[in-house]
Amino acid sequence: MGNVLRGKNIIIGISGGIAAYKTPQLVRLLKKQGAQVRVVLTEGATHFVSDLALATVSEERVYRSIFPPADTSGTDYTRHISLGEWADAFVIAPATANTLARLSSGLCDDMLTALFITLRPGKPVVIFPAMDGQMFLSPSVQRNIRILSSQGCRLITPDSGELASGLSGVGRMPEPESIVLSLEKAVHSIANSSQLYGKSVVVTAGPTREKIDGVRFISNYSSGKMGFAIARSAAERGALVTLITGPVHLETPSGVKRFDVETAMEMHDVAENFFKSCSIFIGAAAVSDYRPAEPFEGKMKKEHPEIELTLIKNPDILAEFGMQKAPGQLAVGFALETHAGLDNARKKLNAKNLDLIAFNFFDRKTSGFEVDTNILTLIDKEGVTTELPQLTKDQAAERLLDCLEQFCVTTQL
Ligand code: CTP
């Protein structure tokens, strides 16, 4: 199964049962696996485990109420939304009878229950009920467990043994090691059920450089972050990802095959090798549209008062794929626009024969090159348009691939 939790964003929700005292160990184990962990406590949980212990082991602040303290800074006001967006998986351990009842009825009166609602669809929720044996077997708890299971949550039957009441029976929270294993299985099986699982996905990323002479080039501000985020997310969904990138300072996402190129022609030549065999081609690179017709050998001297540079057109890699793709192959592109954005994006979708295009609003502060966030509007060839809020590039990549998966389902590809 490999280390499926590495790099994953995990929320641990803790409710008020005695087993809560074991949760700092759970946080530790998940962090050791390379996961980022945020902790959410119910009021009841604070009787059994301290905020400070959990904040120390998670190296993050711990959340309880939806309502932030009065001295909160800007972004914290809607933390129940942004944490839900952030999470790749939600573990609730221990889940008391009261918390199960609140979750199953859709109540939303603290951070834990709010996150249950704001978590993105399809993300695994693994719940570990833990309580006295009689309580666990009571009709109301069993009914709530059935409701939550029918909503797609994984409810893990508690262990049997000695209980806090002094009685013995079913009701013990599994040990943290076993909770980690259950979570790994849940995350792994979600990846297996992805529409992208086993598909060959090619992503272009970053800028290209077009040589003027031996030491100078024409390029753009692309950082490659968006393309790399897409490659990472596709690999996590079980796709076989090839990433063709211009010069960037980014690490190769785990499990991704990377080709480094410099010019648009080089990017084109590498990409062309995959046109026939790939299932999905995603053009996230900011490919230079033109290149100097005759790059100068060596370094140009400044001996002329002015010079003229003749530029010739580079091949449009994505359009070339779009035009020759076979039925069943998908082409996805970006449209970076500074004005008439949606109209231009729709034109590009049609002109390049794409299945999905992400109109990338460009304003240099919140969206576009270099910054860590993006504001995308996704348009598929059936005309379905999805406006996304300002998101990190990782989150935007997830949403783009969610949308692509949905497109695969509705068009039965
Ligand atoms: N693209 C490409 N090869 C090129 C130019 C663009 O593969 N030579 C891809 C980009 O990766 C992106 C999409 O085409 O997915 C649109 O790129 P964009 O720069 O927004 O538009 P252009 O097609 O270059 O058109 P224009 O510059 O006129 O807006």
Side-chain angles (χ1 to χ4, degrees):
M1 192 155 56
N3 183 357
V4 293
L5 299 181
R6 175 177 298 284
K8 287 280 184 302
N9 297 336
I10 313 280
I11 296 184
I12 303 181
I14 306 172
S15 60
I18 177 68
Y21 83 90
K22 294 182 180 173
T23 51
Q25 175 63 1
L26 174 60
V27 175
R28 272 225 143 102
L29 292 175
L30 290 174
K31 293 210 43 142
K32 258 198 188 153
Q33 299 269 335
Q36 280 93 243
V37 180
R38 305 265 166 94
V39 177
V40 189
L41 289 165
T42 64
E43 204 60 42
T46 59
H47 297 294
F48 302 101
V49 62
S50 79
D51 284 12
L52 185 59
L54 290 161
T56 308
V57 286
S58 67
E59 300 171 285
E60 292 285 345
R61 76 167 256 223
V62 166
Y63 299 89
R64 212 182 300 168
S65 166
I66 307 180
F67 307 108
D71 59 353
T72 298
S73 67
T75 54
D76 253 11
Y77 291 115
T78 51
R79 190 59 72 159
H80 59 298
I81 309 292
S82 56
L83 273 178
E85 282 281 345
W86 174 85
D88 295 313
F90 192 12
V91 182
I92 304 177
T96 59
N98 185 44
T99 292
L100 291 174
R102 291 188 305 133
L103 293 173
S104 65
S105 66
L107 269 178
C108 178
D109 53 358
D110 63 7
M111 189 61 109
L112 190 152
T113 45
L115 289 178
F116 182 65
I117 288 171
T118 62
L119 195 73
R120 285 192 299 117
K123 295 291 163 188
V125 180
V126 193
I127 304 179
F128 294 83
M131 63 200 77
D132 177 72
Q134 287 307 324
M135 285 175 80
F136 178 70
L137 296 172
S138 75
S140 52
V141 168
Q142 289 301 312
R143 181 199 58 211
N144 293 334
I145 286 177
R146 278 195 302 278
I147 292 174
L148 290 166
S149 299
S150 72
Q151 292 174 4
C153 304
R154 285 169 186 243
L155 275 290
I156 308 294
T157 308
D159 288 349
S160 291
E162 213 173 282
L163 301 169
S165 58
L167 300 169
S168 73
V170 67
R172 283 172 65 90
M173 187 179 85
E175 293 304 319
E177 289 75 6
S178 158
I179 294 180
V180 172
L181 275 179
S182 300
L183 180 62
E184 279 176 349
K185 276 190 202 148
V187 171
H188 185 250
S189 83
I190 293 272
N192 274 350
S193 65
S194 161
Q195 293 290 321
L196 301 187
Y197 186 79
K199 292 208 167 113
S200 142
V201 175
V202 174
V203 183
T204 65
T208 62
R209 287 179 180 171
E210 310 301 326
K211 286 193 179 88
I212 297 172
D213 68 7
V215 297
R216 301 177 182 94
F217 55 81
I218 298 172
S219 190
N220 55 64
Y221 293 111
S222 169
S223 64
K225 285 178 186 165
M226 195 64 225
F228 273 60
I230 292 171
R232 180 182 314 109
S233 177
E236 284 173 1
R237 293 167 194 235
L240 310 166
V241 182
T242 303
L243 176 63
I244 309 169
T245 178
V248 294
H249 303 282
L250 296 171
E251 276 192 26
T252 312
S254 146
V256 167
K257 192 165 178 208
R258 170 172 176 169
F259 290 86
D260 285 287
V261 297
E262 198 172 336
T263 64
M265 287 307 289
E266 286 167 13
M267 187 173 273
H268 169 268
D269 292 349
V270 176
E272 203 180 25
N273 293 326
F274 296 96
F275 278 2
K276 285 222 156 53
S277 60
C278 72
S279 309
I280 302 172
F281 189 92
I282 304 179
V287 187
S288 300
D289 290 330
Y290 296 90
R291 66 179 185 276
E294 288 172 28
F296 190 82
E297 292 279 327
K299 185 175 175 238
M300 247 159 74
K301 300 302 283 177
K302 56 168 189 283
E303 56 204 4
H304 306 292
E306 61 181 45
I307 53 166
E308 267 183 25
L309 200 56
T310 305
L311 302 176
I312 53 172
K313 231 178 188 166
N314 274 323
D316 189 318
I317 305 167
L318 180 63
E320 220 174 280
F321 174 78
M323 292 308 165
Q324 53 179 271
K325 74 185 159 84
Q329 285 185 305
L330 296 180
V332 179
F334 278 76
L336 185 76
E337 307 290 345
T338 49
H339 57 276
L342 273 178
D343 278 353
N344 281 335
R346 285 198 185 97
K347 278 183 199 148
K348 276 180 196 168
L349 177 86
N350 293 328
K352 301 192 190 201
N353 193 28
L354 307 182
D355 298 278
L356 180 71
I357 197 157
F359 156 49
N360 200 346
F361 173 73
F362 183 80
D363 80 350
R364 285 203 89 161
K365 279 203 196 109
T366 55
S367 184
F369 294 150
E370 289 180 304
V371 290
D372 286 327
T373 55
N374 235 352
I375 302 174
L376 302 182
T377 300
L378 309 175
I379 310 163
D380 75 22
K381 76 164 182 215
E382 310 292 332
V384 178
T385 302
T386 314
E387 265 184 59
L388 302 181
Q390 184 183 344
L391 296 171
T392 66
K393 287 186 174 169
D394 281 331
Q395 291 167 342
E398 292 273 350
R399 297 291 286 266
L400 183 136
L401 293 184
D402 287 351
C403 195
L404 185 61
E405 290 208 34
Q406 189 54 44
F407 182 78
C408 291
V409 172
T410 48
T411 54
Q412 296 184 337
L413 281 167

